[in-house]
């Protein structure tokens, strides 16, 4: 159209402003199209599979790693700068597919601030000294009243007993307990009105 018409005539025919027509003509001349592609705003919202695998490897090497440490490691090693929420979302997807124990460990390591941090010497949980017996049972919903080494120790206890009793019919109870603990950790975030894993 611009080959045969002046920009003022194009503006009249298309009922557009002169500025709009001139901008479209310039864009057409520069890019070959009058459609302007918007730039991606901000950081990526999803991680690629290799980036997710890198995060998993970091967690396997250091089970008690913090989200901000994963963020820094991803930026330094792979040149990928994403928000904590993107890392949290990626890890949630990854660990829903497999390793619930690592997910629970990550939740417990990054509990919301409204749950008091209690030193290992003063914990009410004491999973680091836990010995199971036939009398142990779940007496209701789990509520985390502290964070720190005490409740985090449950991950090692569960890992040990899931391995030890993997061929037992009673292993289903351990899986139920694991699911209950994950649900309780997620409930702690919801109670604090913060996104999951935002510590």
């Amino acid at each position: 159209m611009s080959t045969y018409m002046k920009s003022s005539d194009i503006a009249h025919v298309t009922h557009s402003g002169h500025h709009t027509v001139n901008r479209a003509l310039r864009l057409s001349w520069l890019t070959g199209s009058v459609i302007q592609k918007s730039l991606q705003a901000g950081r990526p919202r999803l991680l690629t599979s290799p980036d997710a695998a890198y995060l998993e490897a970091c967690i396997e090497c250091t089970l008690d790693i913090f989200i901000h440490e994963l963020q820094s490691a991803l930026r330094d090693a792979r040149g990928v700068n994403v928000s904590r929420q993107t890392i949290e979302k990626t890890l949630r997807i990854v660990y829903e597919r497999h390793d619930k124990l690592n997910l629970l460990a990550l939740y417990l390591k990054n509990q919301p601030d409204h749950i008091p941090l209690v030193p290992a010497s003063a914990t009410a949980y004491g999973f680091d000294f836990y010995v199971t017996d036939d009398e142990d049972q779940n007496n209701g919903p789990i509520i985390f009243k502290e964070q720190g080494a005490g409740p985090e120790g449950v991950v090692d206890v569960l890992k040990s007993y899931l391995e030890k009793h993997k061929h037992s019919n009673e292993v289903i109870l351990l899986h139920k307990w694991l699911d209950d603990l994950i649900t309780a950790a997620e409930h702690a975030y919801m109670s604090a009105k913060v996104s999951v894993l935002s510590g």
Side-chain angles (χ1 to χ4, degrees):
M1 185 183 284
S2 67
T3 307
Y4 307 106
M5 299 175 69
K6 294 189 286 184
S7 61
S8 58
D9 294 335
I10 296 171
H12 177 71
V13 170
T14 60
H15 304 289
S16 303
H18 291 286
H19 178 71
T20 303
V21 171
N22 288 334
R23 190 175 57 200
L25 290 173
R26 183 174 185 279
L27 191 61
S28 173
W29 182 75
L30 290 173
T31 67
S33 172
V34 295
I35 299 172
Q36 186 172 6
K37 295 179 181 176
S38 59
L39 298 173
Q40 180 178 343
R43 297 178 283 199
R45 300 293 185 253
L46 294 173
L47 290 174
T48 63
S49 295
D51 293 334
Y54 176 77
L55 290 178
E56 282 186 88
C58 288
I59 293 169
E60 286 172 15
C61 289
T62 311
L63 193 59
D64 61 350
I65 194 167
F66 286 100
I67 299 296
H68 68 88
E69 292 171 325
L70 287 171
Q71 187 180 28
S72 296
L74 192 61
R75 183 179 54 247
D76 296 345
R78 299 189 55 81
V80 177
N81 186 23
V82 294
S83 67
R84 288 177 51 148
Q85 289 77 18
T86 299
I87 292 174
E88 293 162 6
K89 180 180 178 183
T90 301
L91 291 175
R92 180 127 181 96
I93 291 168
V94 166
Y95 288 116
E96 277 181 345
R97 287 194 300 252
H98 58 287
D99 204 345
K100 288 183 178 180
L101 282 169
N102 284 348
L103 177 63
L104 178 60
L106 202 60
Y107 279 169
L108 295 178
K109 184 69 178 174
N110 294 280
Q111 284 284 291
D113 292 335
H114 80 285
I115 299 175
L117 178 61
V118 176
S121 59
T123 182
Y125 291 93
F127 285 109
D128 47 343
F129 302 109
Y130 187 81
V131 178
T132 189
D133 59 47
D134 295 336
E135 300 295 317
D136 293 330
Q137 56 183 331
N138 182 357
N139 292 321
I142 302 163
I143 298 172
F144 290 106
K145 296 181 179 178
E146 64 180 67
Q147 59 177 302
E152 289 169 26
V154 73
V155 176
D156 292 329
V157 171
L158 280 173
K159 186 181 283 186
S160 169
Y161 280 93
L162 283 166
E163 181 60 31
K164 182 177 178 182
H165 299 289
K166 64 183 172 187
H167 301 296
S168 166
N169 291 335
E170 295 179 358
V171 76
I172 193 165
L173 296 174
L174 294 172
H175 284 286
K176 169 79 168 79
W177 193 23
L178 176 57
D179 288 340
D180 289 347
L181 286 164
I182 290 172
T183 300
E186 289 170 343
H187 179 73
Y189 288 100
M190 287 185 283
S191 296
K193 296 184 177 155
V194 295
S195 64
V196 172
L197 290 178
S198 291

